[in-house]
Amino acid sequence: MTAVESVGEFRFECGESVPDLTLAYETYGEFDGDNAVLVCHALTGSQHVSSAPRSEDHDADAVGGSDAGKDADTGVQTAGQARAWWDDVVGPGKAIDTTEYYVVCVNVPGSCYGSSGPPSEGPDGEPWGTDFPPVTVGDWTRAQRRLLDRLGVGRLHAVVGGSVGGMNALDWAARYPDDVRRVAAVAAAARLDTQCLSLDAIARRAITTDPNWNGGDYYGADRPNPDDGLAQARRIGHVMYLSKASMGRKFGRRAAGRGAFGDAPSDPTARFFPYREVESYLDYNADSFTGRFDANSYLYLTRAMDEYDLAAGHGSDAEALAAFEGELLSLSFTGDWHFTVEQSRALAGAARDADVPTAHHVVESDHGHDAFLVEPESVGPPLRDFLADGVDGRAVRDEDEGEPVEEESRSPERAPVHASLFPG
Amino acid sequence: MTAVESVGEFRFECGESVPDLTLAYETYGEFDGDNAVLVCHALTGSQHVSSAPRSEDHDADAVGGSDAGKDADTGVQTAGQARAWWDDVVGPGKAIDTTEYYVVCVNVPGSCYGSSGPPSEGPDGEPWGTDFPPVTVGDWTRAQRRLLDRLGVGRLHAVVGGSVGGMNALDWAARYPDDVRRVAAVAAAARLDTQCLSLDAIARRAITTDPNWNGGDYYGADRPNPDDGLAQARRIGHVMYLSKASMGRKFGRRAAGRGAFGDAPSDPTARFFPYREVESYLDYNADSFTGRFDANSYLYLTRAMDEYDLAAGHGSDAEALAAFEGELLSLSFTGDWHFTVEQSRALAGAARDADVPTAHHVVESDHGHDAFLVEPESVGPPLRDFLADGVDGRAVRDEDEGEPVEEESRSPERAPVHASLFPG
């Protein structure tokens, strides 16, 4: 069950403020004073990280009593998030064991799953739209810090995040170096590279050139959403989340069969050519996505991701981590071209330069960026043992140890065709 | 000077016909009966491959006496093609030496530089639009064959092409195996992979969801072109043409300076964030491109590229090349993720299986797919020597020879920032 908490006036890094920041979050397990683990979601994720039983709601307003869809009273969207996004990793007996840890996951400001953001109600009773202050990853961290204060959590045992959630985790190490014992950045980096900045900019342009976007003012039942643009952004995203190898293996060049989702665009130039399986896959995911995500939020959150730079304000990544007293796990996947192994290696190197006990654990995988979601068998063991024993954890391998990278037996067929970042 | 030739009724592979196919082409050098080299242009290229003096016009109608822009009388667009696209490789004393070879380059059907295509005039005096028959790479080859017949060229000394032009060259080997002595496929492949199929589909969708596209019917001075959509397609293309490394080196994460081309989109969510150099680069190229290319042609030509499959109708790549009596050079670039080294290697392997004398020449480069255009010093020598002596040519290295790949000294600064596929 998602809870919401108002944490008062909040001044964003950009200098703009909201009078009362609302944060939607979920907690699992019981807090014993020393066992809190903050899990940071990826770009379009939500607070709904696990299907495990939630903790009591700590005097916050409980909303969204089921996962059945958007709650008309509170405006909290849970549609499409019915399936918890890291259910194979977080829960009782799972790698992040909710019988052992008190797990907190917070929807980031700027998103659309109950925390304040462009689609939420502003002071005038209308949706904020693009009047909502631009957000940064640092704002997410500061908001999480404030919520944790309300929950009575001082020092965190760990912060764990994947993708831009991993940047969020790194920001904790840099911003509140005394407040967290262990930081795990999964499929993440100290900053986005130029190629990914480009694709994000193209994705945003797809939204802002959709006439229905209307300068960000499209809320209200009588107005169409910029679904074409948001769908295009999502298609681009999915190409970034998969690898060349995994796309080839899953779809090849096959024409979509009868009954496949979607249809060729109304494009007479296509009359001699097949509608391919991979197009059906992209269209399926794009269609699902437009039903559960807000176009303005997509603009806000990709801006935050693009802007994030661990070194900003510090001079270097190592200097940013210099005050961090904890340990770092950087976990990367060989097939990930969104956040590469090389970027994780550079991050680990900077952390070592800052005398942070660090492991760079490389997983052989051709699943691309999606691997952190679809390979719990690769991600779980090192996370579990890092939480328990830090970089000396049994299943934590550091590539510098010179040991062969562990490749667990798994079937390449394991990942369902339509499983990608936050399916549904 | 571009010449145009009408080659009569033409039935396309899709089964549809045009009553009179027009082909725009350029020739350089003098034909001696045995020295003809057909150069095949890439997706958005033209017949204007070199600034070398053209041959006489072989009784064809000469049009476009200057490169100054679109010729209002003939409708031949030369805008943006003022700079010949392979001027460093084709010309007097260049690798494809026009004092030695008779070089022919033909604008492919479906394109927009004077050959019949969507923007050209149909039987009713109006632009064809999407009534123009869908085209395939095979149609390009068949049209080229017909033009060469008119020019009196029977057997070709060589066919050379880059990118989808390399597919065009391969199609010659499969379709007219007795008609060509040497085929060079540069930065090409036997077929596009799933990832690139996806990005092409997304690019087309950007055009077809632009309201100005209007089902392909946007011709006429009073109608707006689907420039937003075509620009998006081009931005996606440019990311495909560059490598992660070259993008990082050229642009990093820098904000665009004063006077940079372009401006942030009218996006209030951007108010706290920089407009980056790489965005300026993409916007500059996208803007140039919409001034010189037709959106429907972009749909047609990417469809042709996506559909191309050397093995189609043959069972395998090797069987497709089984009747080819000539030699094959497959030239690839390590930083190219559009057409990869692995794809070139597979092509070379298939050719060897078909007993075709073959060399797979790998160039170490981080320029990405663009390398075939911006690294004439890498491309020229093996092409020159392959034309002269086949796979035994001095500068032709086959990776199977076990020799180290030749890496010539060159400055990474050499490629100008705004040089990419067909700049301008």
Side-chain angles (χ1 to χ4, degrees), chain B residues 323-340:
Chain B
F324 177 47
E325 296 286 330
E327 300 180 62
L328 175 69
L329 171 64
S330 176
L331 203 156
S332 66
F333 301 89
T334 53
D336 187 350
W337 63 281
H338 192 352
F339 292 96
T340 66

mmCIF file with all atom_site columns, all heavy atoms in Angstrom, chain B residues 323-340:
data_model
loop_
_atom_site.group_PDB
_atom_site.id
_atom_site.type_symbol
_atom_site.label_atom_id
_atom_site.label_alt_id
_atom_site.label_comp_id
_atom_site.label_asym_id
_atom_site.label_entity_id
_atom_site.label_seq_id
_atom_site.pdbx_PDB_ins_code
_atom_site.Cartn_x
_atom_site.Cartn_y
_atom_site.Cartn_z
_atom_site.occupancy
_atom_site.B_iso_or_equiv
_atom_site.pdbx_formal_charge
_atom_site.auth_seq_id
_atom_site.auth_comp_id
_atom_site.auth_asym_id
_atom_site.auth_atom_id
_atom_site.pdbx_PDB_model_num
ATOM 1   N N   . ALA B 1 323 ? 27.242 -17.783 -57.668 1.00 0.00 ? 323 ALA B N   1
ATOM 2   C CA  . ALA B 1 323 ? 27.490 -17.633 -59.106 1.00 0.00 ? 323 ALA B CA  1
ATOM 3   C C   . ALA B 1 323 ? 28.441 -16.474 -59.408 1.00 0.00 ? 323 ALA B C   1
ATOM 4   O O   . ALA B 1 323 ? 28.829 -16.271 -60.564 1.00 0.00 ? 323 ALA B O   1
ATOM 5   C CB  . ALA B 1 323 ? 26.160 -17.421 -59.839 1.00 0.00 ? 323 ALA B CB  1
ATOM 6   N N   . PHE B 1 324 ? 28.799 -15.727 -58.382 1.00 0.00 ? 324 PHE B N   1
ATOM 7   C CA  . PHE B 1 324 ? 29.622 -14.531 -58.609 1.00 0.00 ? 324 PHE B CA  1
ATOM 8   C C   . PHE B 1 324 ? 31.049 -14.947 -58.991 1.00 0.00 ? 324 PHE B C   1
ATOM 9   O O   . PHE B 1 324 ? 31.717 -15.683 -58.262 1.00 0.00 ? 324 PHE B O   1
ATOM 10  C CB  . PHE B 1 324 ? 29.621 -13.676 -57.330 1.00 0.00 ? 324 PHE B CB  1
ATOM 11  C CG  . PHE B 1 324 ? 30.477 -12.449 -57.395 1.00 0.00 ? 324 PHE B CG  1
ATOM 12  C CD1 . PHE B 1 324 ? 30.433 -11.589 -58.486 1.00 0.00 ? 324 PHE B CD1 1
ATOM 13  C CD2 . PHE B 1 324 ? 31.336 -12.130 -56.342 1.00 0.00 ? 324 PHE B CD2 1
ATOM 14  C CE1 . PHE B 1 324 ? 31.230 -10.449 -58.526 1.00 0.00 ? 324 PHE B CE1 1
ATOM 15  C CE2 . PHE B 1 324 ? 32.121 -10.997 -56.383 1.00 0.00 ? 324 PHE B CE2 1
ATOM 16  C CZ  . PHE B 1 324 ? 32.074 -10.156 -57.471 1.00 0.00 ? 324 PHE B CZ  1
ATOM 17  N N   . GLU B 1 325 ? 31.480 -14.466 -60.129 1.00 0.00 ? 325 GLU B N   1
ATOM 18  C CA  . GLU B 1 325 ? 32.793 -14.860 -60.649 1.00 0.00 ? 325 GLU B CA  1
ATOM 19  C C   . GLU B 1 325 ? 33.896 -13.892 -60.242 1.00 0.00 ? 325 GLU B C   1
ATOM 20  O O   . GLU B 1 325 ? 35.068 -14.110 -60.543 1.00 0.00 ? 325 GLU B O   1
ATOM 21  C CB  . GLU B 1 325 ? 32.743 -14.936 -62.188 1.00 0.00 ? 325 GLU B CB  1
ATOM 22  C CG  . GLU B 1 325 ? 31.814 -16.003 -62.724 1.00 0.00 ? 325 GLU B CG  1
ATOM 23  C CD  . GLU B 1 325 ? 32.403 -17.400 -62.534 1.00 0.00 ? 325 GLU B CD  1
ATOM 24  O OE1 . GLU B 1 325 ? 33.633 -17.536 -62.538 1.00 0.00 ? 325 GLU B OE1 1
ATOM 25  O OE2 . GLU B 1 325 ? 31.602 -18.352 -62.378 1.00 0.00 ? 325 GLU B OE2 1
ATOM 26  N N   . GLY B 1 326 ? 33.519 -12.810 -59.612 1.00 0.00 ? 326 GLY B N   1
ATOM 27  C CA  . GLY B 1 326 ? 34.512 -11.794 -59.306 1.00 0.00 ? 326 GLY B CA  1
ATOM 28  C C   . GLY B 1 326 ? 35.096 -11.916 -57.914 1.00 0.00 ? 326 GLY B C   1
ATOM 29  O O   . GLY B 1 326 ? 35.041 -12.969 -57.285 1.00 0.00 ? 326 GLY B O   1
ATOM 30  N N   . GLU B 1 327 ? 35.652 -10.797 -57.426 1.00 0.00 ? 327 GLU B N   1
ATOM 31  C CA  . GLU B 1 327 ? 36.278 -10.751 -56.110 1.00 0.00 ? 327 GLU B CA  1
ATOM 32  C C   . GLU B 1 327 ? 35.541 -9.753  -55.230 1.00 0.00 ? 327 GLU B C   1
ATOM 33  O O   . GLU B 1 327 ? 34.920 -8.815  -55.723 1.00 0.00 ? 327 GLU B O   1
ATOM 34  C CB  . GLU B 1 327 ? 37.751 -10.321 -56.241 1.00 0.00 ? 327 GLU B CB  1
ATOM 35  C CG  . GLU B 1 327 ? 38.576 -11.270 -57.090 1.00 0.00 ? 327 GLU B CG  1
ATOM 36  C CD  . GLU B 1 327 ? 40.036 -10.812 -57.186 1.00 0.00 ? 327 GLU B CD  1
ATOM 37  O OE1 . GLU B 1 327 ? 40.711 -10.737 -56.158 1.00 0.00 ? 327 GLU B OE1 1
ATOM 38  O OE2 . GLU B 1 327 ? 40.472 -10.489 -58.310 1.00 0.00 ? 327 GLU B OE2 1
ATOM 39  N N   . LEU B 1 328 ? 35.654 -9.983  -53.920 1.00 0.00 ? 328 LEU B N   1
ATOM 40  C CA  . LEU B 1 328 ? 34.921 -9.148  -52.975 1.00 0.00 ? 328 LEU B CA  1
ATOM 41  C C   . LEU B 1 328 ? 35.853 -8.523  -51.935 1.00 0.00 ? 328 LEU B C   1
ATOM 42  O O   . LEU B 1 328 ? 36.680 -9.207  -51.334 1.00 0.00 ? 328 LEU B O   1
ATOM 43  C CB  . LEU B 1 328 ? 33.864 -9.990  -52.234 1.00 0.00 ? 328 LEU B CB  1
ATOM 44  C CG  . LEU B 1 328 ? 33.088 -9.275  -51.122 1.00 0.00 ? 328 LEU B CG  1
ATOM 45  C CD1 . LEU B 1 328 ? 32.152 -8.208  -51.695 1.00 0.00 ? 328 LEU B CD1 1
ATOM 46  C CD2 . LEU B 1 328 ? 32.287 -10.274 -50.276 1.00 0.00 ? 328 LEU B CD2 1
ATOM 47  N N   . LEU B 1 329 ? 35.688 -7.226  -51.739 1.00 0.00 ? 329 LEU B N   1
ATOM 48  C CA  . LEU B 1 329 ? 36.320 -6.546  -50.610 1.00 0.00 ? 329 LEU B CA  1
ATOM 49  C C   . LEU B 1 329 ? 35.218 -6.098  -49.657 1.00 0.00 ? 329 LEU B C   1
ATOM 50  O O   . LEU B 1 329 ? 34.309 -5.356  -50.048 1.00 0.00 ? 329 LEU B O   1
ATOM 51  C CB  . LEU B 1 329 ? 37.119 -5.331  -51.091 1.00 0.00 ? 329 LEU B CB  1
ATOM 52  C CG  . LEU B 1 329 ? 37.645 -4.401  -49.984 1.00 0.00 ? 329 LEU B CG  1
ATOM 53  C CD1 . LEU B 1 329 ? 38.660 -5.116  -49.095 1.00 0.00 ? 329 LEU B CD1 1
ATOM 54  C CD2 . LEU B 1 329 ? 38.261 -3.133  -50.590 1.00 0.00 ? 329 LEU B CD2 1
ATOM 55  N N   . SER B 1 330 ? 35.312 -6.569  -48.426 1.00 0.00 ? 330 SER B N   1
ATOM 56  C CA  . SER B 1 330 ? 34.401 -6.109  -47.380 1.00 0.00 ? 330 SER B CA  1
ATOM 57  C C   . SER B 1 330 ? 35.224 -5.261  -46.425 1.00 0.00 ? 330 SER B C   1
ATOM 58  O O   . SER B 1 330 ? 36.177 -5.742  -45.822 1.00 0.00 ? 330 SER B O   1
ATOM 59  C CB  . SER B 1 330 ? 33.797 -7.326  -46.670 1.00 0.00 ? 330 SER B CB  1
ATOM 60  O OG  . SER B 1 330 ? 32.984 -6.920  -45.602 1.00 0.00 ? 330 SER B OG  1
ATOM 61  N N   . LEU B 1 331 ? 34.872 -3.986  -46.329 1.00 0.00 ? 331 LEU B N   1
ATOM 62  C CA  . LEU B 1 331 ? 35.691 -3.042  -45.556 1.00 0.00 ? 331 LEU B CA  1
ATOM 63  C C   . LEU B 1 331 ? 34.871 -2.538  -44.385 1.00 0.00 ? 331 LEU B C   1
ATOM 64  O O   . LEU B 1 331 ? 33.767 -2.012  -44.569 1.00 0.00 ? 331 LEU B O   1
ATOM 65  C CB  . LEU B 1 331 ? 36.107 -1.899  -46.486 1.00 0.00 ? 331 LEU B CB  1
ATOM 66  C CG  . LEU B 1 331 ? 37.359 -1.101  -46.122 1.00 0.00 ? 331 LEU B CG  1
ATOM 67  C CD1 . LEU B 1 331 ? 37.956 -0.463  -47.367 1.00 0.00 ? 331 LEU B CD1 1
ATOM 68  C CD2 . LEU B 1 331 ? 37.065 -0.055  -45.078 1.00 0.00 ? 331 LEU B CD2 1
ATOM 69  N N   . SER B 1 332 ? 35.373 -2.743  -43.173 1.00 0.00 ? 332 SER B N   1
ATOM 70  C CA  . SER B 1 332 ? 34.587 -2.360  -41.997 1.00 0.00 ? 332 SER B CA  1
ATOM 71  C C   . SER B 1 332 ? 35.419 -1.531  -41.024 1.00 0.00 ? 332 SER B C   1
ATOM 72  O O   . SER B 1 332 ? 36.642 -1.478  -41.122 1.00 0.00 ? 332 SER B O   1
ATOM 73  C CB  . SER B 1 332 ? 34.036 -3.614  -41.306 1.00 0.00 ? 332 SER B CB  1
ATOM 74  O OG  . SER B 1 332 ? 35.089 -4.397  -40.775 1.00 0.00 ? 332 SER B OG  1
ATOM 75  N N   . PHE B 1 333 ? 34.720 -0.910  -40.089 1.00 0.00 ? 333 PHE B N   1
ATOM 76  C CA  . PHE B 1 333 ? 35.341 0.034   -39.147 1.00 0.00 ? 333 PHE B CA  1
ATOM 77  C C   . PHE B 1 333 ? 34.993 -0.381  -37.726 1.00 0.00 ? 333 PHE B C   1
ATOM 78  O O   . PHE B 1 333 ? 33.817 -0.621  -37.410 1.00 0.00 ? 333 PHE B O   1
ATOM 79  C CB  . PHE B 1 333 ? 34.829 1.455   -39.412 1.00 0.00 ? 333 PHE B CB  1
ATOM 80  C CG  . PHE B 1 333 ? 35.126 1.926   -40.792 1.00 0.00 ? 333 PHE B CG  1
ATOM 81  C CD1 . PHE B 1 333 ? 34.241 1.681   -41.833 1.00 0.00 ? 333 PHE B CD1 1
ATOM 82  C CD2 . PHE B 1 333 ? 36.310 2.582   -41.071 1.00 0.00 ? 333 PHE B CD2 1
ATOM 83  C CE1 . PHE B 1 333 ? 34.525 2.093   -43.122 1.00 0.00 ? 333 PHE B CE1 1
ATOM 84  C CE2 . PHE B 1 333 ? 36.607 3.001   -42.362 1.00 0.00 ? 333 PHE B CE2 1
ATOM 85  C CZ  . PHE B 1 333 ? 35.708 2.755   -43.395 1.00 0.00 ? 333 PHE B CZ  1
ATOM 86  N N   . THR B 1 334 ? 36.008 -0.417  -36.880 1.00 0.00 ? 334 THR B N   1
ATOM 87  C CA  . THR B 1 334 ? 35.797 -0.963  -35.539 1.00 0.00 ? 334 THR B CA  1
ATOM 88  C C   . THR B 1 334 ? 34.772 -0.170  -34.719 1.00 0.00 ? 334 THR B C   1
ATOM 89  O O   . THR B 1 334 ? 34.120 -0.726  -33.854 1.00 0.00 ? 334 THR B O   1
ATOM 90  C CB  . THR B 1 334 ? 37.120 -1.023  -34.750 1.00 0.00 ? 334 THR B CB  1
ATOM 91  O OG1 . THR B 1 334 ? 37.739 0.278   -34.765 1.00 0.00 ? 334 THR B OG1 1
ATOM 92  C CG2 . THR B 1 334 ? 38.073 -2.022  -35.371 1.00 0.00 ? 334 THR B CG2 1
ATOM 93  N N   . GLY B 1 335 ? 34.632 1.115   -34.984 1.00 0.00 ? 335 GLY B N   1
ATOM 94  C CA  . GLY B 1 335 ? 33.706 1.919   -34.191 1.00 0.00 ? 335 GLY B CA  1
ATOM 95  C C   . GLY B 1 335 ? 32.298 2.000   -34.758 1.00 0.00 ? 335 GLY B C   1
ATOM 96  O O   . GLY B 1 335 ? 31.457 2.735   -34.240 1.00 0.00 ? 335 GLY B O   1
ATOM 97  N N   . ASP B 1 336 ? 32.039 1.272   -35.814 1.00 0.00 ? 336 ASP B N   1
ATOM 98  C CA  . ASP B 1 336 ? 30.751 1.352   -36.522 1.00 0.00 ? 336 ASP B CA  1
ATOM 99  C C   . ASP B 1 336 ? 29.745 0.414   -35.858 1.00 0.00 ? 336 ASP B C   1
ATOM 100 O O   . ASP B 1 336 ? 29.921 -0.803  -35.877 1.00 0.00 ? 336 ASP B O   1
ATOM 101 C CB  . ASP B 1 336 ? 30.977 0.962   -37.988 1.00 0.00 ? 336 ASP B CB  1
ATOM 102 C CG  . ASP B 1 336 ? 29.747 1.179   -38.867 1.00 0.00 ? 336 ASP B CG  1
ATOM 103 O OD1 . ASP B 1 336 ? 28.650 1.449   -38.341 1.00 0.00 ? 336 ASP B OD1 1
ATOM 104 O OD2 . ASP B 1 336 ? 29.893 1.068   -40.102 1.00 0.00 ? 336 ASP B OD2 1
ATOM 105 N N   . TRP B 1 337 ? 28.712 0.964   -35.263 1.00 0.00 ? 337 TRP B N   1
ATOM 106 C CA  . TRP B 1 337 ? 27.694 0.090   -34.664 1.00 0.00 ? 337 TRP B CA  1
ATOM 107 C C   . TRP B 1 337 ? 26.438 0.024   -35.526 1.00 0.00 ? 337 TRP B C   1
ATOM 108 O O   . TRP B 1 337 ? 25.498 -0.709  -35.211 1.00 0.00 ? 337 TRP B O   1
ATOM 109 C CB  . TRP B 1 337 ? 27.359 0.513   -33.228 1.00 0.00 ? 337 TRP B CB  1
ATOM 110 C CG  . TRP B 1 337 ? 26.745 1.862   -33.049 1.00 0.00 ? 337 TRP B CG  1
ATOM 111 C CD1 . TRP B 1 337 ? 27.403 3.059   -33.053 1.00 0.00 ? 337 TRP B CD1 1
ATOM 112 C CD2 . TRP B 1 337 ? 25.365 2.160   -32.814 1.00 0.00 ? 337 TRP B CD2 1
ATOM 113 N NE1 . TRP B 1 337 ? 26.510 4.089   -32.843 1.00 0.00 ? 337 TRP B NE1 1
ATOM 114 C CE2 . TRP B 1 337 ? 25.249 3.574   -32.686 1.00 0.00 ? 337 TRP B CE2 1
ATOM 115 C CE3 . TRP B 1 337 ? 24.204 1.391   -32.690 1.00 0.00 ? 337 TRP B CE3 1
ATOM 116 C CZ2 . TRP B 1 337 ? 24.035 4.221   -32.464 1.00 0.00 ? 337 TRP B CZ2 1
ATOM 117 C CZ3 . TRP B 1 337 ? 22.994 2.041   -32.459 1.00 0.00 ? 337 TRP B CZ3 1
ATOM 118 C CH2 . TRP B 1 337 ? 22.917 3.439   -32.337 1.00 0.00 ? 337 TRP B CH2 1
ATOM 119 N N   . HIS B 1 338 ? 26.420 0.759   -36.623 1.00 0.00 ? 338 HIS B N   1
ATOM 120 C CA  . HIS B 1 338 ? 25.312 0.672   -37.583 1.00 0.00 ? 338 HIS B CA  1
ATOM 121 C C   . HIS B 1 338 ? 25.514 -0.585  -38.444 1.00 0.00 ? 338 HIS B C   1
ATOM 122 O O   . HIS B 1 338 ? 24.631 -1.443  -38.551 1.00 0.00 ? 338 HIS B O   1
ATOM 123 C CB  . HIS B 1 338 ? 25.309 1.941   -38.425 1.00 0.00 ? 338 HIS B CB  1
ATOM 124 C CG  . HIS B 1 338 ? 24.102 2.159   -39.273 1.00 0.00 ? 338 HIS B CG  1
ATOM 125 N ND1 . HIS B 1 338 ? 23.115 1.220   -39.429 1.00 0.00 ? 338 HIS B ND1 1
ATOM 126 C CD2 . HIS B 1 338 ? 23.718 3.230   -40.014 1.00 0.00 ? 338 HIS B CD2 1
ATOM 127 C CE1 . HIS B 1 338 ? 22.178 1.703   -40.236 1.00 0.00 ? 338 HIS B CE1 1
ATOM 128 N NE2 . HIS B 1 338 ? 22.519 2.906   -40.597 1.00 0.00 ? 338 HIS B NE2 1
ATOM 129 N N   . PHE B 1 339 ? 26.692 -0.669  -39.045 1.00 0.00 ? 339 PHE B N   1
ATOM 130 C CA  . PHE B 1 339 ? 27.103 -1.872  -39.761 1.00 0.00 ? 339 PHE B CA  1
ATOM 131 C C   . PHE B 1 339 ? 28.405 -2.332  -39.111 1.00 0.00 ? 339 PHE B C   1
ATOM 132 O O   . PHE B 1 339 ? 29.425 -1.670  -39.262 1.00 0.00 ? 339 PHE B O   1
ATOM 133 C CB  . PHE B 1 339 ? 27.315 -1.579  -41.247 1.00 0.00 ? 339 PHE B CB  1
ATOM 134 C CG  . PHE B 1 339 ? 26.046 -1.247  -41.986 1.00 0.00 ? 339 PHE B CG  1
ATOM 135 C CD1 . PHE B 1 339 ? 25.666 0.072   -42.199 1.00 0.00 ? 339 PHE B CD1 1
ATOM 136 C CD2 . PHE B 1 339 ? 25.232 -2.255  -42.471 1.00 0.00 ? 339 PHE B CD2 1
ATOM 137 C CE1 . PHE B 1 339 ? 24.498 0.378   -42.895 1.00 0.00 ? 339 PHE B CE1 1
ATOM 138 C CE2 . PHE B 1 339 ? 24.065 -1.951  -43.165 1.00 0.00 ? 339 PHE B CE2 1
ATOM 139 C CZ  . PHE B 1 339 ? 23.697 -0.639  -43.374 1.00 0.00 ? 339 PHE B CZ  1
ATOM 140 N N   . THR B 1 340 ? 28.339 -3.422  -38.394 1.00 0.00 ? 340 THR B N   1
ATOM 141 C CA  . THR B 1 340 ? 29.459 -3.776  -37.520 1.00 0.00 ? 340 THR B CA  1
ATOM 142 C C   . THR B 1 340 ? 30.534 -4.604  -38.222 1.00 0.00 ? 340 THR B C   1
ATOM 143 O O   . THR B 1 340 ? 30.308 -5.218  -39.273 1.00 0.00 ? 340 THR B O   1
ATOM 144 C CB  . THR B 1 340 ? 28.957 -4.594  -36.317 1.00 0.00 ? 340 THR B CB  1
ATOM 145 O OG1 . THR B 1 340 ? 28.469 -5.860  -36.796 1.00 0.00 ? 340 THR B OG1 1
ATOM 146 C CG2 . THR B 1 340 ? 27.846 -3.857  -35.589 1.00 0.00 ? 340 THR B CG2 1
#
